[in-house]
């Protein structure tokens, strides 16, 4: 995405203020716990702009509700909705302004950290205008041509062990399974491992053989007139896009099911997709070198359901 004017919005939670600033010149205090502990939460929303210039944040409510749930799981304060809405709106206005209306689709990421580490000197930070307590921020992310092309071209995935048994989160809440935290180093690493194996994407499988999710996406498979997805309680992030797909599918008369799926279930499916807010739905062409059927008409329907959410 090209140069952005004032496309970063910073939120001082305790002061209740939103400040628009320049993405390129922004400074983030290195003693913030988000930076060296990954102690924070985030959401990434898809924004589309129609011919009249009106912007739509897709699945806005579902994203914010999940943000609140993530905050609760990390014992963070409740994120003030009006400040985050104001920040996201400021970023959207900045993007539309920068492109003079010539933009149809981009993403906005918003996040919240716990604030400064206890080692930090709050008074010293205050003198340079940096809040001590929790902070939020929002900024835009552009989509690459390749990301858009994947929506119809599809991806090859390899399965990788997530390293825990399915449903472990129910007895080990400190693992924060199902929270969307800023600790994504493992997810990023898995994506690199997949690429190193000649694939495009990873698909996590639990230690006991239950298919979970991609590093930044959920899996949806089709079996006849039924769409299935792994049960979020098994140990994955409950996706807003997967929920949009299920809502659209159910309204169209298909059956939808949360289920424990094995790798064989995926390989034997009539079609499979990785779904997430920015990629929308991407067909899975291959799992561990085994080809899956390609279903372009079904893919188009998923895209429609996601656009409608
Ligand atoms: N699973 C993980 C680990 C993710 O990071 C994401 C999104 O980035 C998803 C699933 C899909 O979630 P959503 O559809 O809400 O974007």
């Amino acid at each position: 995405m090209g140069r952005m004017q004032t496309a970063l919005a910073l939120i001082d939670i305790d002061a209740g203020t939103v400040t628009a600033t320049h993405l390129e010149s922004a400074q983030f205090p290195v003693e913030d716990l988000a930076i060296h502990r990954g102690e924070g939460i985030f959401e990434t929303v898809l924004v589309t702009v129609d011919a009249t210039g009106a912007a739509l944040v897709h699945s806005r409510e579902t994203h914010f509700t999940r943000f609140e749930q993530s905050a609760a799981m990390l014992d963070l304060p409740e994120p003030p909705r009006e400040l985050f809405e104001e920040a996201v709106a400021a970023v959207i206005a900045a993007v539309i302004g920068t492109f003079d209306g010539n933009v149809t689709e981009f993403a906005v990421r918003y996040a919240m950290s716990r604030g400064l580490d206890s080692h930090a000197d709050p008074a010293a930070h205050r003198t340079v205008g940096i809040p001590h307590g929790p902070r939020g921020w929002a900024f835009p992310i552009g989509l690459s041509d390749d990301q858009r092309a994947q929506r119809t071209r599809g991806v090859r995935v390899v399965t990788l062990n997530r390293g825990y048994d399915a449903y472990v989160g129910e007895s080990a809440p400190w693992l924060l399974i199902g929270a969307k935290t800023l600790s994504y180093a493992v997810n990023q690493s898995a994506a690199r491992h997949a690429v190193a194996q000649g694939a495009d994407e990873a698909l996590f499988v639990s230690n006991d053989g239950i298919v979970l999710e991609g590093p930044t996406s959920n899996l949806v498979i089709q079996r006849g007139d039924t769409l299935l997805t792994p049960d979020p309680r098994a140990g994955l992030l409950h996706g807003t896009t997967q929920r949009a797909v299920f809502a659209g599918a159910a309204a169209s008369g298909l059956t939808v099911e949360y289920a424990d799926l094995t790798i064989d279930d995926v390989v034997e499916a009539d079609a499979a997709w990785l779904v997430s807010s920015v990629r929308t739905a991407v067909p899975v062409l291959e799992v561990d070198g085994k080809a899956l059927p390609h279903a372009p008409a079904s893919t188009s329907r998923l895209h429609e359901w996601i656009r409608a959410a």
Side-chain angles (χ1 to χ4, degrees):
M1 182 164 275
R3 234 188 103 71
M4 289 289 162
Q5 296 299 314
T6 60
L8 173 69
L10 295 173
I11 305 168
D12 180 338
I13 308 266
D14 290 340
T17 56
V18 177
T19 309
T21 183
H22 294 267
L23 192 52
E24 301 89 343
S25 60
Q27 295 194 354
F28 202 90
V30 293
E31 288 170 294
D32 190 285
L33 285 161
I35 289 192
H36 55 101
R37 295 282 195 224
E39 276 245 77
I41 55 170
F42 76 105
E43 286 293 327
T44 310
V45 294
L46 182 70
V47 180
T48 54
V49 185
D50 70 17
T52 70
L56 175 69
V57 176
H58 292 269
S59 299
R60 177 191 216 121
E61 283 295 314
T62 326
H63 277 287
F64 202 81
T65 302
R66 188 172 65 189
F67 195 56
E68 291 171 326
Q69 288 163 350
S70 296
M73 288 171 80
L74 270 75
D75 298 320
L76 288 168
E78 198 177 311
R81 179 180 291 234
E82 62 297 344
L83 297 184
F84 279 92
E85 299 255 317
E86 187 184 334
V88 170
V91 171
I92 291 172
V95 172
I96 292 175
T98 302
F99 288 94
D100 202 18
N102 289 316
V103 60
T104 53
E105 186 182 38
F106 56 96
V108 175
R109 179 162 295 159
Y110 56 89
M112 182 169 85
S113 82
R114 196 180 294 285
L116 296 184
D117 198 327
S118 55
H119 308 303
D121 176 358
H125 282 86
R126 240 186 328 267
T127 57
V128 289
I130 290 172
H132 176 240
R135 81 194 73 235
W137 61 99
F139 64 99
I141 301 171
L143 270 74
S144 68
D145 291 340
D146 193 53
Q147 272 176 314
R148 275 188 246 267
Q150 270 195 0
R151 292 170 174 168
T152 44
R153 187 185 67 213
V155 287
R156 291 157 302 142
V157 309
V158 284
T159 56
L160 298 180
N161 185 350
R162 189 64 181 84
Y164 51 69
D165 285 348
Y167 297 96
V168 68
E170 296 190 329
S171 57
W174 53 88
L175 293 179
L176 299 178
I177 295 170
K180 196 164 166 68
T181 78
L182 288 169
S183 309
Y184 260 54
V186 169
N187 305 48
Q188 301 280 92
S189 167
R192 288 193 301 274
H193 273 267
V195 170
Q197 291 182 38
D200 304 300
E201 274 288 353
L203 178 61
F204 283 131
V205 178
S206 72
N207 207 32
D208 48 353
I210 302 295
V211 173
L212 299 172
E213 63 183 342
T216 59
S217 62
N218 292 113
L219 176 80
V220 173
I221 70 168
Q222 180 163 6
R223 195 188 278 158
D225 286 336
T226 304
L227 293 188
L228 301 107
T229 197
D231 187 336
R233 291 170 302 178
L236 56 112
L237 187 75
H238 194 182
T240 61
T241 317
Q242 173 266 309
R243 282 181 266 185
V245 167
F246 270 29
S252 307
L254 295 178
T255 306
V256 295
E257 244 176 68
Y258 290 94
D260 287 342
L261 303 172
T262 63
I263 297 173
D264 283 347
D265 288 327
V266 182
V267 173
E268 288 157 18
D270 295 322
W273 299 270
L274 290 180
V275 302
S276 70
S277 298
V278 180
R279 92 191 63 208
T280 68
V282 168
V284 177
L285 305 177
E286 216 179 272
V287 175
D288 295 336
K290 296 182 190 115
L292 266 79
H294 196 33
S298 303
T299 301
S300 299
R301 287 214 294 174
L302 262 70
H303 289 161
E304 280 166 30
W305 296 330
I306 295 165
R307 291 276 157 193

mmCIF file of all heavy atoms in Angstrom, residues 42-44 63 66 180 184 187 213-218 237-242 275-278, ligand 1:
data_model
loop_
_atom_site.group_PDB
_atom_site.id
_atom_site.type_symbol
_atom_site.label_atom_id
_atom_site.label_comp_id
_atom_site.label_asym_id
_atom_site.label_seq_id
_atom_site.Cartn_x
_atom_site.Cartn_y
_atom_site.Cartn_z
ATOM 1 N N PHE A 42 -5.007 -8.622 19.208
ATOM 2 C CA PHE A 42 -5.280 -7.867 17.980
ATOM 3 C C PHE A 42 -6.426 -8.485 17.195
ATOM 4 O O PHE A 42 -6.852 -9.610 17.463
ATOM 5 C CB PHE A 42 -4.024 -7.759 17.103
ATOM 6 C CG PHE A 42 -3.656 -9.015 16.339
ATOM 7 C CD1 PHE A 42 -3.890 -9.100 14.975
ATOM 8 C CD2 PHE A 42 -3.077 -10.100 16.969
ATOM 9 C CE1 PHE A 42 -3.557 -10.241 14.257
ATOM 10 C CE2 PHE A 42 -2.732 -11.244 16.263
ATOM 11 C CZ PHE A 42 -2.976 -11.320 14.901
ATOM 12 N N GLU A 43 -6.886 -7.720 16.225
ATOM 13 C CA GLU A 43 -7.871 -8.172 15.240
ATOM 14 C C GLU A 43 -7.460 -7.582 13.896
ATOM 15 O O GLU A 43 -6.896 -6.476 13.850
ATOM 16 C CB GLU A 43 -9.285 -7.685 15.582
ATOM 17 C CG GLU A 43 -9.948 -8.391 16.739
ATOM 18 C CD GLU A 43 -10.255 -9.860 16.460
ATOM 19 O OE1 GLU A 43 -10.556 -10.222 15.305
ATOM 20 O OE2 GLU A 43 -10.187 -10.649 17.414
ATOM 21 N N THR A 44 -7.747 -8.275 12.821
ATOM 22 C CA THR A 44 -7.542 -7.724 11.480
ATOM 23 C C THR A 44 -8.868 -7.820 10.744
ATOM 24 O O THR A 44 -9.407 -8.917 10.588
ATOM 25 C CB THR A 44 -6.465 -8.521 10.716
ATOM 26 O OG1 THR A 44 -5.309 -8.644 11.537
ATOM 27 C CG2 THR A 44 -6.101 -7.823 9.407
ATOM 28 N N HIS A 63 -15.751 -9.466 15.220
ATOM 29 C CA HIS A 63 -14.345 -9.165 15.520
ATOM 30 C C HIS A 63 -14.217 -8.496 16.885
ATOM 31 O O HIS A 63 -13.360 -8.869 17.687
ATOM 32 C CB HIS A 63 -13.756 -8.239 14.441
ATOM 33 C CG HIS A 63 -13.291 -8.943 13.218
ATOM 34 N ND1 HIS A 63 -12.144 -9.713 13.198
ATOM 35 C CD2 HIS A 63 -13.806 -9.016 11.976
ATOM 36 C CE1 HIS A 63 -11.971 -10.216 11.977
ATOM 37 N NE2 HIS A 63 -12.977 -9.817 11.220
ATOM 38 N N ARG A 66 -14.784 -10.841 19.763
ATOM 39 C CA ARG A 66 -13.634 -11.728 19.980
ATOM 40 C C ARG A 66 -12.477 -10.957 20.644
ATOM 41 O O ARG A 66 -11.763 -11.500 21.485
ATOM 42 C CB ARG A 66 -13.186 -12.357 18.655
ATOM 43 C CG ARG A 66 -12.120 -13.429 18.854
ATOM 44 C CD ARG A 66 -11.822 -14.174 17.575
ATOM 45 N NE ARG A 66 -11.237 -13.297 16.567
ATOM 46 C CZ ARG A 66 -11.027 -13.642 15.305
ATOM 47 N NH1 ARG A 66 -11.359 -14.864 14.884
ATOM 48 N NH2 ARG A 66 -10.486 -12.811 14.441
ATOM 49 N N LYS A 180 -6.696 -14.271 20.538
ATOM 50 C CA LYS A 180 -5.909 -13.759 19.407
ATOM 51 C C LYS A 180 -4.855 -12.815 19.968
ATOM 52 O O LYS A 180 -5.067 -11.606 20.061
ATOM 53 C CB LYS A 180 -6.832 -13.070 18.387
ATOM 54 C CG LYS A 180 -6.173 -12.862 17.042
ATOM 55 C CD LYS A 180 -7.223 -12.552 15.991
ATOM 56 C CE LYS A 180 -6.637 -12.016 14.714
ATOM 57 N NZ LYS A 180 -5.850 -12.959 13.945
ATOM 58 N N TYR A 184 2.727 -14.399 17.923
ATOM 59 C CA TYR A 184 2.518 -15.173 16.688
ATOM 60 C C TYR A 184 3.810 -15.767 16.143
ATOM 61 O O TYR A 184 3.846 -16.209 14.981
ATOM 62 C CB TYR A 184 1.838 -14.302 15.614
ATOM 63 C CG TYR A 184 0.339 -14.571 15.539
ATOM 64 C CD1 TYR A 184 -0.453 -14.483 16.674
ATOM 65 C CD2 TYR A 184 -0.276 -14.945 14.353
ATOM 66 C CE1 TYR A 184 -1.816 -14.740 16.619
ATOM 67 C CE2 TYR A 184 -1.638 -15.207 14.294
ATOM 68 C CZ TYR A 184 -2.399 -15.100 15.433
ATOM 69 O OH TYR A 184 -3.756 -15.358 15.376
ATOM 70 N N ASN A 187 3.319 -19.303 14.912
ATOM 71 C CA ASN A 187 2.513 -19.327 13.680
ATOM 72 C C ASN A 187 3.371 -18.923 12.476
ATOM 73 O O ASN A 187 3.302 -19.533 11.409
ATOM 74 C CB ASN A 187 1.318 -18.383 13.801
ATOM 75 C CG ASN A 187 0.474 -18.683 15.035
ATOM 76 O OD1 ASN A 187 0.994 -18.835 16.124
ATOM 77 N ND2 ASN A 187 -0.828 -18.767 14.862
ATOM 78 N N GLU A 213 -6.136 -25.862 12.471
ATOM 79 C CA GLU A 213 -6.298 -24.636 11.685
ATOM 80 C C GLU A 213 -4.980 -24.336 10.974
ATOM 81 O O GLU A 213 -3.968 -24.996 11.225
ATOM 82 C CB GLU A 213 -6.654 -23.460 12.614
ATOM 83 C CG GLU A 213 -5.550 -23.155 13.618
ATOM 84 C CD GLU A 213 -5.856 -22.048 14.621
ATOM 85 O OE1 GLU A 213 -6.767 -21.242 14.388
ATOM 86 O OE2 GLU A 213 -5.149 -22.018 15.650
ATOM 87 N N GLY A 214 -4.974 -23.320 10.114
ATOM 88 C CA GLY A 214 -3.731 -22.810 9.556
ATOM 89 C C GLY A 214 -3.130 -21.804 10.535
ATOM 90 O O GLY A 214 -3.774 -21.415 11.510
ATOM 91 N N PRO A 215 -1.902 -21.335 10.301
ATOM 92 C CA PRO A 215 -1.291 -20.360 11.215
ATOM 93 C C PRO A 215 -2.061 -19.047 11.287
ATOM 94 O O PRO A 215 -1.980 -18.336 12.299
ATOM 95 C CB PRO A 215 0.102 -20.128 10.633
ATOM 96 C CG PRO A 215 0.383 -21.303 9.774
ATOM 97 C CD PRO A 215 -0.943 -21.776 9.256
ATOM 98 N N THR A 216 -2.799 -18.701 10.232
ATOM 99 C CA THR A 216 -3.629 -17.480 10.276
ATOM 100 C C THR A 216 -4.963 -17.702 9.573
ATOM 101 O O THR A 216 -5.515 -16.779 8.965
ATOM 102 C CB THR A 216 -2.908 -16.274 9.609
ATOM 103 O OG1 THR A 216 -2.625 -16.619 8.254
ATOM 104 C CG2 THR A 216 -1.616 -15.907 10.307
ATOM 105 N N SER A 217 -5.480 -18.924 9.643
ATOM 106 C CA SER A 217 -6.741 -19.200 8.934
ATOM 107 C C SER A 217 -7.435 -20.411 9.535
ATOM 108 O O SER A 217 -6.824 -21.181 10.269
ATOM 109 C CB SER A 217 -6.454 -19.481 7.450
ATOM 110 O OG SER A 217 -5.639 -20.625 7.338
ATOM 111 N N ASN A 218 -8.701 -20.559 9.217
ATOM 112 C CA ASN A 218 -9.452 -21.756 9.592
ATOM 113 C C ASN A 218 -9.667 -22.638 8.383
ATOM 114 O O ASN A 218 -9.596 -22.176 7.244
ATOM 115 C CB ASN A 218 -10.816 -21.372 10.187
ATOM 116 C CG ASN A 218 -10.678 -20.681 11.523
ATOM 117 O OD1 ASN A 218 -10.990 -19.504 11.650
ATOM 118 N ND2 ASN A 218 -10.208 -21.386 12.529
ATOM 119 N N LEU A 237 -8.401 -20.823 16.995
ATOM 120 C CA LEU A 237 -9.119 -19.546 17.053
ATOM 121 C C LEU A 237 -10.439 -19.680 16.304
ATOM 122 O O LEU A 237 -10.448 -20.098 15.140
ATOM 123 C CB LEU A 237 -8.259 -18.452 16.403
ATOM 124 C CG LEU A 237 -8.801 -17.050 16.545
ATOM 125 C CD1 LEU A 237 -8.585 -16.527 17.957
ATOM 126 C CD2 LEU A 237 -8.133 -16.117 15.543
ATOM 127 N N HIS A 238 -11.533 -19.316 16.962
ATOM 128 C CA HIS A 238 -12.847 -19.392 16.307
ATOM 129 C C HIS A 238 -12.952 -18.234 15.321
ATOM 130 O O HIS A 238 -13.060 -17.073 15.726
ATOM 131 C CB HIS A 238 -13.947 -19.326 17.371
ATOM 132 C CG HIS A 238 -15.285 -19.730 16.860
ATOM 133 N ND1 HIS A 238 -16.416 -19.696 17.631
ATOM 134 C CD2 HIS A 238 -15.690 -20.182 15.652
ATOM 135 C CE1 HIS A 238 -17.451 -20.116 16.920
ATOM 136 N NE2 HIS A 238 -17.034 -20.407 15.713
ATOM 137 N N GLY A 239 -12.904 -18.528 14.040
ATOM 138 C CA GLY A 239 -12.782 -17.494 13.016
ATOM 139 C C GLY A 239 -14.077 -16.766 12.715
ATOM 140 O O GLY A 239 -15.168 -17.354 12.725
ATOM 141 N N THR A 240 -13.948 -15.482 12.427
ATOM 142 C CA THR A 240 -15.118 -14.703 12.018
ATOM 143 C C THR A 240 -15.527 -15.088 10.587
ATOM 144 O O THR A 240 -16.708 -15.099 10.262
ATOM 145 C CB THR A 240 -14.814 -13.193 12.053
ATOM 146 O OG1 THR A 240 -13.749 -12.914 11.147
ATOM 147 C CG2 THR A 240 -14.412 -12.736 13.435
ATOM 148 N N THR A 241 -14.539 -15.400 9.753
ATOM 149 C CA THR A 241 -14.832 -15.754 8.355
ATOM 150 C C THR A 241 -15.527 -17.111 8.284
ATOM 151 O O THR A 241 -16.500 -17.288 7.543
ATOM 152 C CB THR A 241 -13.530 -15.765 7.530
ATOM 153 O OG1 THR A 241 -12.764 -14.628 7.884
ATOM 154 C CG2 THR A 241 -13.810 -15.770 6.047
ATOM 155 N N GLN A 242 -15.017 -18.057 9.053
ATOM 156 C CA GLN A 242 -15.668 -19.377 9.105
ATOM 157 C C GLN A 242 -17.122 -19.223 9.548
ATOM 158 O O GLN A 242 -18.024 -19.868 8.997
ATOM 159 C CB GLN A 242 -14.869 -20.294 10.064
ATOM 160 C CG GLN A 242 -15.530 -21.634 10.351
ATOM 161 C CD GLN A 242 -16.370 -21.570 11.614
ATOM 162 O OE1 GLN A 242 -15.910 -21.130 12.663
ATOM 163 N NE2 GLN A 242 -17.609 -22.006 11.516
ATOM 164 N N VAL A 275 -9.889 -20.237 5.271
ATOM 165 C CA VAL A 275 -10.670 -18.999 5.301
ATOM 166 C C VAL A 275 -10.139 -18.071 6.396
ATOM 167 O O VAL A 275 -9.793 -18.512 7.485
ATOM 168 C CB VAL A 275 -12.187 -19.274 5.506
ATOM 169 C CG1 VAL A 275 -12.727 -20.177 4.403
ATOM 170 C CG2 VAL A 275 -12.498 -19.867 6.870
ATOM 171 N N SER A 276 -10.064 -16.800 6.063
ATOM 172 C CA SER A 276 -9.707 -15.775 7.056
ATOM 173 C C SER A 276 -10.114 -14.419 6.510
ATOM 174 O O SER A 276 -10.402 -14.278 5.315
ATOM 175 C CB SER A 276 -8.213 -15.798 7.370
ATOM 176 O OG SER A 276 -7.488 -15.339 6.266
ATOM 177 N N SER A 277 -10.104 -13.430 7.386
ATOM 178 C CA SER A 277 -10.668 -12.127 7.045
ATOM 179 C C SER A 277 -10.061 -11.520 5.784
ATOM 180 O O SER A 277 -10.782 -11.020 4.935
ATOM 181 C CB SER A 277 -10.464 -11.161 8.209
ATOM 182 O OG SER A 277 -11.145 -11.649 9.321
ATOM 183 N N VAL A 278 -8.737 -11.541 5.666
ATOM 184 C CA VAL A 278 -8.104 -10.860 4.543
ATOM 185 C C VAL A 278 -8.051 -11.752 3.309
ATOM 186 O O VAL A 278 -8.360 -11.330 2.202
ATOM 187 C CB VAL A 278 -6.698 -10.346 4.929
ATOM 188 C CG1 VAL A 278 -6.045 -9.640 3.754
ATOM 189 C CG2 VAL A 278 -6.805 -9.399 6.113
HETATM 190 N N1 LIG B 1 -6.841 -18.881 13.086
HETATM 191 C C1 LIG B 1 -5.796 -18.079 13.367
HETATM 192 C C2 LIG B 1 -4.671 -18.606 14.193
HETATM 193 C C3 LIG B 1 -5.771 -16.761 12.862
HETATM 194 O O1 LIG B 1 -4.741 -15.963 13.144
HETATM 195 C C4 LIG B 1 -6.862 -16.303 12.076
HETATM 196 C C5 LIG B 1 -6.873 -14.942 11.538
HETATM 197 O O2 LIG B 1 -5.875 -14.293 11.377
HETATM 198 C C6 LIG B 1 -7.905 -17.175 11.814
HETATM 199 C C7 LIG B 1 -7.878 -18.451 12.353
HETATM 200 C C8 LIG B 1 -9.089 -16.723 10.993
HETATM 201 O O3 LIG B 1 -9.829 -15.783 11.713
HETATM 202 P P1 LIG B 1 -10.737 -14.670 10.987
HETATM 203 O O4 LIG B 1 -11.587 -15.382 10.002
HETATM 204 O O5 LIG B 1 -11.526 -14.069 12.073
HETATM 205 O O6 LIG B 1 -9.804 -13.728 10.317
#
